[in-house]
Amino acid sequence: RLCVFRSNSAIYAQLIDDVKGVTLASSSSLELKAKNNNIEAASAVGKDIAEKAKKAKIKAVVFDRGGFIYHGRVQALAEGAREGGLEF
């Protein structure tokens, strides 16, 4: 599953294998050194996590928005991941 967490200062994404209980890959706007925590930064995180998923040979995920409304930064992250090749 692709788990998203959004804070006031950053946005985070993790690929989690629930069967094994391990994190396969992660990305954040802090890791990418985004200057602003905005829609462009969220889209970049989505594209980065999609790239890491390809390296881990993951094609399809379940999107877990973590209770956050599918709007703004969360939506931009999801669209960036789709552009990167992930299927939801």
Side-chain angles (χ1 to χ4, degrees), residues 2 11 13 15 25-33 40-55 76-77 80-86:
L2 173 59
I11 189 159
L15 291 173
S26 65
S27 181
S28 71
S29 57
L30 296 176
E31 178 182 312
L32 298 177
K33 295 185 171 96
E40 289 82 19
S43 180
V45 171
K47 290 176 184 174
D48 185 53
I49 198 72
E51 183 180 315
K52 290 179 179 180
K54 282 184 183 178
K55 289 180 183 175
L77 188 143
R82 283 190 188 107
E83 287 175 17
L86 275 180

Side-chain angles (χ1 to χ4, degrees), residues 74-88:
V74 175
Q75 181 180 357
L77 188 143
E79 290 172 357
R82 283 190 188 107
E83 287 175 17
L86 275 180
E87 296 177 15
F88 293 19

Side-chain angles (χ1 to χ4, degrees), residues 33-73:
K33 295 185 171 96
K35 292 184 180 180
N36 295 322
N37 186 25
N38 54 19
I39 290 176
E40 289 82 19
S43 180
V45 171
K47 290 176 184 174
D48 185 53
I49 198 72
E51 183 180 315
K52 290 179 179 180
K54 282 184 183 178
K55 289 180 183 175
K57 299 180 182 176
I58 298 169
K59 295 179 182 177
V61 295
V62 174
F63 188 66
D64 177 10
R65 56 187 174 79
F68 297 105
I69 297 171
Y70 186 79
H71 178 55
R73 291 184 287 155

Side-chain angles (χ1 to χ4, degrees), residues 6-27:
R6 175 182 60 90
S7 70
N8 288 337
S9 60
I11 189 159
Y12 306 87
Q14 290 183 327
L15 291 173
I16 301 171
D17 183 351
D18 288 323
V19 174
K20 295 179 182 176
V22 295
T23 300
L24 303 172
S26 65
S27 181

